[in-house]
C-alpha cells in the first residue's frame, strides 16, 4: 500500500467522479483509480454493495472493499438542494463522470449530460445502464443475470452443455465486462479531451456490450449473409472441453494440434493412441471429433500427477493449467509471487487481502494507494478543497 497523497500512475492529475452504484460503474472507476486518477465517490446511502452479511464494520463488505479502493467517499444527498449544488460544483472540477443512474432521474436532478456539459464542456460523461436509452427496453431494470440472458450467453451455455435450464456463469460477468468497456471508453475520450479541450457523452449499454463480446467468436456461420452455418465457436462449444482428472487432482489439458495429441498419448504410455487416424491430418476436427477425443484424453491423464503433466505439456507446448481452488489461491506460488493477494492493514477493518493490480507499467506504475473508505469518510476534506478552489 503506497502513500494516499501521491500517485505515480499514468492517470495522475485526472479527476474522476464516481456517481454509480453496485459493481459496473464503481469497478470501472476503481480501475481508473488504480491507474492513478483522483477518484471521488459521491455515495448513495442505498448502494447495495455496502450491504451483506460478511463484514467487520457495517457497510464494509468484501465487495465494497474491492471495488471502492483508491477512492475518496463524499456523502451528499442529491435530493437536497444545497447538497446537490455541492455535488454539481464538485462535478465541475472533474475530467470524467461515471454514472449508472437512470436518465429520467438524472434529468430531474439537472445531472444529465446536456446540463453538465453546458457548465463543464471538458467533461467526459460515461453513462452505463442495462439497455440502450433509445430502445424499447431502456426503462427495464437490468441485473447481471438478465443481461447474460439478453446477450445470448445463456443460449451458449444451454447448447454447449446440452441442458434444459442453463445456469448463469458464476461470476458478475456482464457487470465486469461492461466495467472494462467503460474504463477503456473513458480513456479514449480523455485522449480526445486532451487534444481538443472538448468532452463528450459516452454510452455503455450492458446488453450491447456483452452481445458484442460474445459474438467475437460465436457469430461464426451467421457472419455471412446468407448464413453459411450456425452460430457457436466449435472449440468453445465442444462438450469435451473440460478439466481432466490427473493422478492427484484436476488440470485443464487442452491439446489442439495433432502433434499435441500424439505427444500427450506417448507421455501417458499409450503410443498406440497416437496412431489414431483422426490425428493424421494437419488439423483436428473439433466439431466432429472433439467429444470422442476428449474421452481418450481423460482415459490416460490419470497416469501422471498434475505437476508431471505441467512438465510434459511445457516440454511439448501443449496448453495446460492447474485447476486453482479459490479457497487456496492465497497459497498458490503464482498468486503469491505476483502479489495478487497480499495482506494489508485497513484502518477500520484490520488485516485483509488486497486484490493486486494485474497490469504493470515500467515508467508510471499503477498502485493501490487508498483502502476503500468508510461511507462519507472524506466529505469534509473534499468540500474544504472545493471551497479553496483545489
Amino acid at each position: 500500500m503506497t502513500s494516499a497523497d501521491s500517485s505515480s500512475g499514468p492517470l495522475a492529475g485526472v479527476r474522476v467522479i464516481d456517481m454509480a452504484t453496485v459493481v459496473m460503474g464503481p469497478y470501472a472507476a476503481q480501475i481508473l483509480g488504480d491507474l492513478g486518477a483522483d477518484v471521488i465517490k459521491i455515495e448513495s446511502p442505498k448502494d447495495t454493495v455496502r450491504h451483506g452479511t460478511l463484514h467487520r464494520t457495517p457497510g464494509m463488505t468484501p465487495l465494497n472493499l474491492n471495488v471502492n479502493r483508491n477512492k475518496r467517499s463524499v456523502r451528499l444527498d442529491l435530493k437536497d438542494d444545497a447538497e446537490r449544488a455541492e455535488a454539481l460544483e464538485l462535478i465541475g472540477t472533474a475530467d470524467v463522470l461515471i454514472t449508472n443512474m437512470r436518465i429520467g432521474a438524472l434529468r430531474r436532478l439537472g445531472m444529465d449530460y446536456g446540463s453538465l456539459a453546458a457548465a463543464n464542456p471538458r467533461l467526459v460523461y460515461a453513462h452505463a445502464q442495462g439497455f440502450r436509452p433509445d430502445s424499447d427496453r431502456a426503462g427495464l431494470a437490468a441485473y447481471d443475470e438478465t443481461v447474460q440472458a439478453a446477450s445470448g450467453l445463456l443460449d451458449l451455455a444451454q447448447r454447449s452443455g446440452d441442458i434444459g435450464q442453463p445456469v448463469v456463469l458464476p461470476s458478475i460477468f456482464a457487470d465486469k465486462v461492461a466495467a472494462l468497456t467503460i474504463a477503456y471508453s473513458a480513456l479514449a475520450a480523455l485522449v480526445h479531451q486532451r487534444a481538443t479541450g472538448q468532452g463528450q457523452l459516452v454510452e455503455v449499454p450492458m446488453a450491447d456490450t456483452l452481445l458484442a463480446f460474445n459474438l467475437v467468436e460465436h457469430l461464426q456461420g451467421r457472419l455471412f449473409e446468407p448464413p453459411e452455418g450456425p452460430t457457436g465457436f466449435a472449440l468453445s462449444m465442444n462438450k469435451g472441453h473440460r478439466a481432466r482428472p490427473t493422478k492427484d487432482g484436476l488440470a485443464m489439458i487442452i491439446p489442439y494440434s495433432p502433434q499435441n495429441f500424439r505427444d500427450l498419448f506417448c507421455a501417458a504410455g499409450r503410443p498406440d493412441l497416437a496412431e489414431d487416424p483422426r490425428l493424421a491430418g494437419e488439423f483436428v476436427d473439433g466439431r466432429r471429433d472433439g467429444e470422442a477425443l476428449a474421452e481418450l484424453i481423460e482415459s490416460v491423464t490419470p497416469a501422471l500427477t498434475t505437476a508431471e503433466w505441467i512438465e510434459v505439456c511445457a516440454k511439448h507446448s501443449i496448453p495446460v493449467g492447474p485447476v486453482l481452488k479459490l479457497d487456496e489461491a492465497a497459497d498458490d506460488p503464482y498468486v503469491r509471487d505476483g502479489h495478487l493477494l497480499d495482506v494489508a492493514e485497513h484502518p477500520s477493518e484490520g488485516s485483509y487481502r488486497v486484490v493486486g493490480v494485474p497490469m504493470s507499467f515500467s515508467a508510471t506504475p499503477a498502485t493501490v494507494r487508498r483502502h476503500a473508505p468508510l461511507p462519507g469518510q472524506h466529505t469534509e476534506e473534499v468540500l474544504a478543497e472545493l471551497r479553496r478552489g483545489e
Side-chain angles (χ1 to χ4, degrees), residues 33-356:
D34 288 356
L35 294 174
D38 173 25
V39 181
I40 299 172
K41 183 172 184 64
I42 297 180
E43 285 267 12
S44 165
K46 296 181 180 180
D47 190 350
T48 57
V49 80
R50 286 197 180 272
H51 299 288
T53 56
L54 286 174
H55 58 74
R56 293 172 178 169
T57 302
M60 301 301 284
T61 61
L63 189 52
N64 170 67
L65 288 165
N66 278 338
V67 301
N68 285 323
R69 73 186 190 198
N70 279 336
K71 299 178 186 180
R72 295 188 286 171
S73 171
V74 174
R75 242 331 174 28
L76 294 172
D77 183 355
L78 299 182
K79 294 181 180 179
D80 179 271
D81 291 344
E83 294 190 21
R84 183 170 66 256
E86 289 178 316
L88 289 168
E89 190 176 355
L90 188 57
I91 293 169
T93 70
D95 294 289
V96 178
L97 171 70
I98 297 175
T99 183
N100 63 346
M101 293 176 64
R102 295 192 186 186
I103 291 176
L106 290 165
R107 286 176 181 150
R108 288 192 296 273
L109 294 169
M111 292 182 166
D112 57 293
Y113 173 67
S115 299
L116 295 183
N120 180 7
R122 289 176 50 83
L123 182 66
V124 172
Y125 187 110
H127 181 242
Q129 59 185 72
F131 301 94
R132 287 192 314 280
D134 60 350
S135 74
D136 60 357
R137 299 182 186 179
L140 294 180
Y143 289 81
D144 194 89
E145 298 91 339
T146 61
V147 173
Q148 286 196 33
S151 67
L153 191 58
L154 289 194
D155 174 57
L156 293 169
Q158 183 177 36
R159 290 159 56 190
S160 64
D162 198 19
I163 50 180
Q165 292 179 290
V167 297
V168 298
L169 191 72
S171 176
I172 311 175
F173 192 71
D175 278 275
K176 291 186 287 185
V177 170
L180 296 174
T181 306
I182 294 167
Y184 72 67
S185 299
L187 291 174
L190 270 175
V191 172
H192 175 262
Q193 181 214 66
R194 292 300 195 257
T196 66
Q198 292 297 310
Q200 59 184 296
L201 172 64
V202 178
E203 291 277 8
V204 182
M206 291 174 69
D208 302 52
T209 299
L210 195 56
L211 180 61
F213 186 87
N214 291 334
L215 291 180
V216 168
E217 76 276 33
H218 285 296
L219 187 55
Q220 286 297 294
R222 292 301 175 99
L223 178 142
F224 301 101
E225 191 58 41
E228 295 289 335
T231 55
F233 186 55
L235 287 174
S236 299
M237 303 296 284
N238 181 351
K239 295 179 177 60
H241 214 59
R242 53 187 178 251
R244 321 296 185 186
T246 66
K247 184 180 288 187
D248 60 352
L250 291 170
M252 199 69 181
I253 303 170
I254 303 292
Y256 277 108
S257 69
Q259 188 62 50
N260 280 169
F261 278 89
R262 292 192 290 268
D263 288 335
L264 183 145
F265 291 138
C266 288
R270 292 295 305 274
D272 55 305
L273 296 180
E275 303 301 320
D276 191 300
R278 291 170 295 192
L279 306 177
E282 193 173 345
F283 301 101
V284 173
D285 189 334
R287 190 181 291 273
R288 185 192 66 193
D289 301 324
E291 193 166 0
L293 289 173
E295 297 294 335
L296 288 182
I297 295 169
E298 289 169 22
S299 72
V300 303
T301 51
L304 302 177
T305 66
T306 298
E308 289 169 337
W309 273 121
I310 289 174
E311 185 176 345
V312 166
C313 292
K315 177 181 177 181
H316 296 289
S317 297
I318 301 171
V320 64
V323 175
L324 176 67
K325 294 184 178 180
L326 288 182
D327 284 348
E328 302 169 1
D331 298 319
D332 183 86
Y334 185 85
V335 174
R336 185 182 61 245
D337 295 347
H339 301 285
L340 296 174
L341 279 176
D342 285 350
V343 175
E345 291 297 316
H346 192 285
S348 66
E349 308 312 299
S351 299
Y352 79 116
R353 295 277 180 182
V354 178
V355 179

